[in-house]
Amino acid sequence: MMARILLTCGEPAGVGPELAPLALAAGADIVWLGDPRHLPQGALWTQVAAPDDAVPPGHLPVLRHDFAGPATPGRPDPAHAADIIAVIARAVDLAMTGRVAAICTAPISKEALIRGAGFAFPGHTEFLAHLAGDVPVAMMLASTTVTPPCRVVPATIHIPLADVPTALTEPALEQAIRLTHAALIRDFGLSAPRIAVAGLNPHAGEGGMMGTQDRDLIAPLIARLRAEGLHVTGPHPADTMFHAPARARYDAAIACYHDQGLIPIKTLDFDGGVNVTLGLPFIRTSPDHGTAFDIAGKGLADPSSTIAALRLAAQMAASRGPLLLHENILRGSGGRMPPASGKAP
């Protein structure tokens, strides 16, 4: 039997805690890491000492992590920031030592973590990469309800559009392609993955008439990778890459910038889209939404994306199999834990 998926509490003033019982009710085999005082009133839960401990039917297994105090939905408390960070670090340790099959992270508020604990990372993903040993990572948005599937990896992410041409270097694009190629084999069970690379400019530059990056940077890189044996094509005009017949010709798309890739997947599968971090030595997924402070505690949270993230994490864990899990166990808790204060280094 596969180990459980660990679901972190995320920001306790957001919708994260109320999504856990809903995911359990949908059949997810999870263990929740957080303060049970933050769970919705009436939620059935049982504290466990180990992630796979048995609990009564219908009860949420809880690895208890006591916070500074109770949470008020919609009102993040700076006093909780250190514990939110410590929960993430504890989750990574559990994954790196093979005690959970994967991590699914509930949303956090970067602003709240900065205000409360001087959080030193751009976001969740960068902190996870740091804890894993400062490994290179990429963000994949993966659909779970459309056929053919839509999987998109942006080579540049949260930067102004004006900065994209400078940030889109050959090393950055190559890293995104290689991380995607490795993940499609290891985590998605594809022995010979097909990767399509979008052009930066309209019509992939029209041979240099509308920008030269596609001709001078992207095309030579693709040719070099193809010579190595990778099945990579492009640069393709982005406006014709995402309809169903086009998606059938590749397993993942590399986008040059954030909106180029995220607009198609959020249009095709808004509720079923899952954020996957590629490159980590453990599996990490997350729902593709934020803390939703405006609806927290009102019983309005939609668990669809969290359920999709948990199911995809389970599928990826099954694809990785026992060998890679054993490799994680051999590494031990190689992730770096935050100092006793809970502040990120």
Side-chain angles (χ1 to χ4, degrees):
M1 182 172 139
M2 189 172 69
R4 285 183 172 131
I5 307 299
L6 186 147
L7 177 61
T8 63
C9 60
E11 166 56 62
V15 294
E18 60 194 282
L19 293 172
L22 297 174
L24 182 75
D29 186 17
I30 58 175
V31 58
W32 189 73
L33 178 54
D35 190 328
R37 292 176 295 176
H38 301 160
L39 290 168
Q41 188 174 10
L44 300 176
W45 61 274
T46 296
Q47 183 174 339
V48 294
D52 287 334
D53 284 354
V55 296
H59 280 230
L60 178 70
V62 173
L63 287 169
R64 187 167 189 143
H65 185 100
D66 290 332
F67 276 55
T72 302
R75 296 175 60 185
D77 186 344
H80 291 157
D83 287 308
I84 296 168
I85 293 168
V87 162
I88 298 168
R90 187 176 167 191
V92 168
D93 180 59
L94 289 167
M96 294 282 284
T97 53
R99 287 173 283 173
V100 294
I103 299 171
C104 179
T105 57
I108 60 173
S109 166
K110 179 187 169 187
E111 179 183 356
L113 295 187
I114 292 173
R115 289 180 181 276
F119 192 60
F121 297 88
H124 224 146
T125 298
E126 293 81 4
F127 186 41
L128 291 166
H130 173 71
L131 292 172
D134 292 316
V135 296
V137 295
M139 178 180 76
M140 172 186 280
L141 272 293
S143 70
T144 59
T145 68
V146 298
T147 304
C150 184
R151 305 183 186 106
V152 181
V153 178
T156 65
I157 308 179
H158 299 122
I159 60 174
L161 187 59
D163 295 344
V164 169
T166 302
L168 188 70
T169 62
E170 183 175 324
L173 184 56
E174 181 173 356
Q175 177 174 289
I177 294 171
R178 290 193 184 277
L179 288 173
T180 302
H181 182 264
L184 290 172
I185 295 172
R186 180 177 60 176
D187 297 330
F188 292 87
L190 301 171
S191 58
R194 305 163 300 164
I195 298 173
V197 181
L200 172 65
N201 298 295
H203 298 230
E206 286 276 22
M209 299 297 292
M210 285 192 285
T212 59
Q213 294 93 341
D214 305 282
R215 180 193 67 194
D216 297 343
L217 186 153
I218 301 175
L221 172 60
I222 290 172
R224 176 163 61 83
L225 295 176
R226 287 178 64 86
E228 290 184 19
L230 276 68
H231 190 149
V232 185
T233 60
H236 300 284
D239 62 345
T240 57
M241 280 184 62
F242 294 100
H243 63 293
R247 296 198 313 276
R249 296 193 288 270
Y250 61 81
D251 301 303
I254 306 295
C256 289
Y257 54 93
H258 183 277
D259 286 9
Q260 187 184 56
L262 269 63
I263 287 173
I265 192 166
K266 292 194 176 189
T267 301
L268 291 166
D269 198 10
F270 188 82
D271 291 327
V274 175
N275 187 342
V276 182
T277 304
L278 310 183
L280 294 171
F282 52 87
I283 295 163
R284 182 263 179 146
T285 65
S286 69
D288 188 25
H289 61 70
T291 53
F293 288 131
D294 57 325
I295 63 169
K298 298 178 181 178
L300 300 175
D302 182 353
S304 300
S305 189
T306 297
I307 293 168
L310 289 164
R311 287 176 176 164
L312 182 57
Q315 293 166 10
M316 292 170 67
S319 179
R320 282 200 181 193
L323 176 61
L324 284 164
L325 184 60
H326 180 63
E327 289 176 356
N328 272 0
I329 295 171
L330 290 178
R331 286 189 189 97
S333 55
R336 279 175 255 179
M337 306 292 282
S341 68
K343 285 192 177 184

